[in-house]
Amino acid sequence: MANSPQAIKRARQNKKRALHNHGQRSSIRTAIKKMLKAISAADMDLAKKAFKEAASLLDRFAGRGIIPKNRAARYKSRLNARLKKAAS
């Protein structure tokens, strides 16, 4: 347990930030699922729009440090490959 006032405050901030970051990561997963659902429904227009939205979220959160940059790049690469495969 934190003893000093500064350590108590840092623990409180860390808990609050962890909760916020968890919500952000959840929105990424939701955007990815939305794109995959559009691909499985063979709706290419919606899939392209969902990919653009997911890629934007991934880039934004990677820039903020919520997810690692390489993970964002890997997700975007795999999603783009699925999109191209479904389009052909």
Side-chain angles (χ1 to χ4, degrees), residues 63-77:
R64 293 180 189 167
I66 294 172
I67 61 169
K69 290 182 190 241
N70 285 348
R71 185 184 303 168
R74 184 174 65 241
Y75 277 147
K76 288 192 322 185
S77 175

Side-chain angles (χ1 to χ4, degrees), residues 20-22 24-25 28 60-68 71:
H20 178 261
N21 290 343
H22 179 74
Q24 299 295 301
R25 283 189 292 271
I28 292 171
R60 191 174 328 140
F61 294 150
R64 293 180 189 167
I66 294 172
I67 61 169
R71 185 184 303 168

